[in-house]
């Protein structure tokens, strides 16, 4: 059965906007624990060759013009959070001479910067710095709050930042794809879409006591979340990978959707 999709269309831009359900959750978590950095996304990239800091700054300016989410702050009004777009918000690229820093010292500095929390109401929610070890060796550091960006969006931002930078240093015209819709368009569409059926379904699913997940773990869950997790990397055999690819193509879904469904099936056993 081929599902019917509703197209998200562009809506009128506004200086004050509603939050998505995910943004509401992130706002609440950050408000309850202002020093929490679990939802900060930090990334450091090495740049080999000459770097024009002024061209980089102009590129950042262009990013902010293209994506109003980067110019946003999140404030509370009458007990309800709202996203406000600040047209006068600028983000300065912090250029640091790191020629006297060793690799270990620089790593400590970057880790410290990654642990710096955000104030969602007052701080720019994107921070950019360049640490120049030599004239030909630089570290570009970015830290952005998850409430305005996810990992996929960060990849797009980095690509667009590179495209803008290339256009400035080479005096070439930058050709970026037209934005057919924005995340705010999705949020606005969500409020007009027919979600009553889905809401009724999940209320019926959890009309009694929500069952506790009894998955076996090595350690007991602490009373207060510590965010002391880790990453385990494993490889999938080529044959299984091809089977997963064929399945997602047949269903018309993403690879992430297939793998997440498998994960949900696993949890359902417990």
């Amino acid at each position: 059965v081929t599902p019917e999709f509703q197209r998200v269309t562009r809506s009128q831009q506004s200086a004050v906007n509603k939050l998505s359900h995910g943004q509401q959750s992130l706002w609440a978590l950050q408000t309850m624990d202002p020093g929490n950095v679990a939802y900060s996304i930090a990334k450091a990239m090495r740049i080999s060759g000459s770097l024009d800091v002024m061209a980089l700054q102009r590129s950042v300016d262009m990013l902010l013009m293209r994506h109003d989410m980067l110019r946003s702050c999140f404030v509370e009004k009458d007990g309800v959070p709202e996203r406000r777009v600040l047209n006068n918000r600028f983000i300065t690229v912090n250029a640091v001479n790191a020629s006297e820093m060793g690799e270990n010292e620089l790593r400590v500095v970057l880790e410290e910067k990654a642990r710096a929390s955000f104030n969602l109401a007052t701080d720019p929610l994107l921070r950019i710095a360049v640490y120049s070890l030599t004239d030909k060796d630089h570290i570009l550091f970015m830290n952005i709050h998850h409430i305005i960006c996810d990992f996929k969006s960060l990849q797009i931002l980095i690509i667009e930042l590179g495209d803008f930078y290339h256009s400035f240093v080479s005096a070439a015209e930058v050709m970026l794809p037209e934005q057919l819709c924005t995340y705010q368009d999705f949020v606005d569409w969500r409020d007009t879409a027919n979600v009553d059926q889905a809401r009724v379904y999940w209320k019926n699913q959890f009309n009694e006591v929500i069952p506790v997940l009894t998955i076996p773990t090595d350690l007991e869950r602490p009373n207060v979340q510590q965010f002391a997790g880790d990453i385990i990397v494993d490889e999938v055999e080529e044959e299984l990978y091809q089977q997963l690819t064929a399945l997602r193509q047949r269903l018309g879904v993403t690879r992430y959707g297939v793998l997440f469904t498998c994960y949900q099936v696993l949890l359902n056993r417990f």
Side-chain angles (χ1 to χ4, degrees):
V1 178
T2 303
E4 295 183 3
F5 296 99
Q6 291 180 285
R7 182 176 296 276
V8 178
T9 58
R10 292 301 298 264
S11 58
Q12 185 68 31
Q13 291 188 347
S14 174
V16 180
N17 301 274
K18 296 180 179 180
L19 275 62
S20 68
H21 296 311
Q23 287 176 321
Q24 292 174 22
S25 298
L26 290 170
W27 177 85
L29 290 169
Q30 195 71 40
T31 302
M32 290 187 296
D33 185 8
N36 184 8
V37 296
Y39 299 102
S40 298
I41 305 174
K43 187 174 183 63
M45 296 156 283
R46 196 165 214 120
I47 301 176
S48 299
S50 301
L51 180 65
D52 187 333
V53 177
M54 183 160 300
L56 179 61
Q57 178 65 68
R58 293 175 65 190
S59 303
V60 173
D61 295 341
M62 293 300 294
L63 269 187
L64 265 67
M65 291 179 59
R66 181 170 168 83
H67 304 286
D68 65 10
M69 192 67 73
L70 301 178
R71 293 181 275 115
S72 298
C73 68
F74 295 81
V75 298
E76 182 179 355
K77 182 178 180 181
D78 299 329
V80 178
E82 60 185 23
R83 181 176 74 91
R84 296 182 181 177
V85 179
L86 307 177
N87 291 327
N88 60 346
R89 168 153 286 179
F90 300 95
I91 295 176
T92 302
V93 176
N94 185 22
V96 180
N97 182 352
S99 58
E100 297 184 0
M101 290 187 186
E103 290 282 345
N104 292 334
E105 181 181 358
L106 180 56
R107 183 177 294 107
V108 171
V109 170
L110 294 180
E111 290 176 352
E112 180 180 350
K113 295 296 182 182
R115 290 192 295 268
S117 61
F118 289 94
N119 185 317
L120 301 184
T122 60
D123 291 349
L125 302 182
L126 169 63
R127 298 169 182 155
I128 300 182
V130 174
Y131 295 84
S132 298
L133 299 167
T134 69
D135 293 339
K136 304 291 185 181
D137 189 15
H138 315 270
I139 302 295
L140 175 63
F141 176 79
M142 303 175 66
N143 195 8
I144 189 169
H145 197 280
H146 188 31
I147 199 169
I148 64 169
C149 186
D150 57 18
F151 287 100
K152 182 61 178 180
S153 300
L154 181 59
Q155 293 176 4
I156 295 174
L157 290 179
I158 292 172
I159 292 173
E160 292 185 351
L161 180 65
D163 290 340
F164 280 127
Y165 179 80
H166 176 74
S167 70
F168 286 128
V169 297
S170 62
E173 183 180 2
V174 61
M175 300 293 293
L176 293 179
E178 178 186 359
Q179 288 183 292
L180 299 179
C181 65
T182 66
Y183 185 69
Q184 191 61 48
D185 294 327
F186 162 75
V187 176
D188 296 338
W189 166 84
R190 177 210 64 191
D191 289 339
T192 60
N194 183 15
V195 297
D196 290 339
Q197 185 176 358
R199 184 180 293 113
V200 170
Y201 170 81
W202 286 112
K203 283 186 175 181
N204 290 333
Q205 291 293 106
F206 300 120
N207 60 353
E208 298 179 356
V209 178
I210 299 178
V212 177
L213 187 64
T214 56
I215 187 170
T217 57
D218 295 334
L219 303 173
E220 292 185 4
R221 182 185 295 272
N223 293 328
V224 179
Q225 190 172 7
Q226 303 296 321
F227 300 99
D230 202 351
I231 297 175
I232 299 177
V233 180
D234 199 358
E235 294 184 356
V236 177
E237 295 181 358
E238 178 67 21
E239 182 180 358
L240 178 57
Y241 175 80
Q242 295 298 338
Q243 292 174 344
L244 290 172
T245 300
L247 176 62
R248 75 168 185 84
Q249 290 175 343
R250 186 170 70 253
L251 297 176
V253 298
T254 63
R255 183 178 297 110
Y256 170 83
V258 172
L259 294 176
F260 188 70
T261 301
C262 294
Y263 178 61
Q264 294 285 5
V265 172
L266 172 64
L267 294 184
N268 186 58
R269 295 185 176 184
F270 301 95

